[in-house]
Amino acid sequence: MKQLILSAAALALTSGFALADTVRMGTEGAYPPYNFIDDNGQVAGFERIVGDELCKRAELTCEWVTNEWDSIIPNLVSGNYDTIIAAMSINDERRQSIDFTTPYFPPAASAYLAMGADVADGAVIAAQTGTIQADHVAQSGGTLVEFATIDDAVAAAKNGEADAVFGDKEVLRPFADGQGLVWAGEEVFLDEGIGIGVRKSDTELKEKLNAAIDSMKADGSLNALLTEYFGAEATTF
């Protein structure tokens, strides 16, 4: 699964943070509409808006940093930033290395795009490396080809390097234009939702973010953002 900007106000965190320290929000910056880099070189997208609001509600000073997807967990663990807010699905494998907040995005569909409406058994499937979609292809017996970014995986399906691309349906939606790649096969649900990744030791930070996420769910603002960014058909809380 993808620059520094200051926001909000500082609060003491005793579990891994000193007074007035900044919480560094790590994201990929290459996975629209969740996260991307805008024309001004700033992190933008659904997760930027959600993350800034969570920091405000939790009274945290936050800054945004980007990191390539395939090393995003190791660099959290090693301390290069303090959270992962990058469309990262919650699953047991990742829980072995890091912890997660409560989901800020409900379980969502993964889907195939192909040049035709069918994905035959034994097809070559492109997916972004290190994602739950890549794991699903590998475990289901398909022939997996992995790419560093979702854009590269889509390009492989377009140029015939792969028979289809498999990924988050909301991320693939802009590429389903009906004149090239089209939806193929059935949707698959693979995760427990998307949460913010934190180091296992940062329990107080996790609690503060959980409280802020719960607050956004309770007042309807999180559902409003889900609908704004992902359409009226988006799954909401």
Side-chain angles (χ1 to χ4, degrees):
M1 286 94 187
K2 276 53 2 0
Q3 301 131 341
L4 305 173
I5 303 170
L6 298 177
S7 64
L11 184 71
L13 284 172
T14 59
S15 187
F17 300 95
L19 181 65
D21 271 1
T22 296
V23 177
R24 298 157 298 172
M25 308 286 274
T27 195
E28 183 185 12
Y31 205 66
Y34 291 92
N35 60 81
F36 58 93
I37 304 302
D38 66 16
D39 292 340
N40 296 316
Q42 309 286 10
V43 174
F46 168 75
E47 288 172 320
R48 174 62 197 271
I49 301 302
V50 170
D52 281 352
E53 181 62 22
L54 293 176
C55 289
K56 179 180 178 181
R57 294 186 185 216
E59 299 183 291
L60 299 170
T61 294
C62 294
E63 68 180 24
W64 289 83
V65 299
T66 58
N67 192 94
E68 292 182 356
W69 175 258
D70 61 359
S71 62
I72 204 165
I73 288 179
N75 279 313
L76 171 67
V77 173
S78 65
N80 288 343
Y81 34 81
D82 307 302
T83 73
I84 295 172
I85 179 165
M88 180 168 282
S89 299
I90 302 168
N91 63 26
D92 289 339
E93 181 180 356
R94 289 169 178 154
R95 284 195 187 99
Q96 295 177 22
S97 302
I98 63 174
D99 204 353
F100 286 94
T101 65
T102 188
Y104 60 87
F105 197 104
S110 297
Y112 295 91
L113 278 181
M115 297 301 287
D118 295 319
V119 178
D121 291 341
V124 177
I125 308 297
Q128 185 176 11
T129 188
T131 61
I132 57 173
Q133 290 85 12
D135 288 344
H136 177 76
V137 174
Q139 293 171 11
S140 63
T143 301
L144 171 67
V145 287
E146 296 182 84
F147 295 88
T149 69
I150 192 64
D151 286 347
D152 290 341
V154 170
K158 284 186 174 182
N159 65 26
E161 188 176 351
D163 298 309
V165 55
F166 185 55
D168 185 315
K169 185 173 183 179
E170 296 304 331
V171 174
L172 293 180
R173 190 181 299 280
F175 302 101
D177 57 15
Q179 300 178 21
L181 295 175
V182 297
W183 299 118
E186 297 183 354
E187 296 179 358
V188 184
F189 287 82
L190 300 172
D191 63 26
E192 304 172 31
I194 293 170
I196 299 175
V198 297
R199 288 182 288 273
K200 289 179 179 289
S201 59
D202 288 333
T203 55
E204 188 169 351
L205 175 60
K206 175 185 171 182
E207 290 169 2
K208 289 180 180 295
L209 292 171
N210 277 344
I213 293 169
D214 289 345
S215 172
M216 290 188 71
K217 289 177 179 177
D219 67 14
S221 57
L222 188 52
N223 281 345
L225 287 170
L226 287 165
T227 301
E228 176 183 347
Y229 277 85
F230 299 97
E233 72 280 6
T235 304
T236 55
F237 290 103

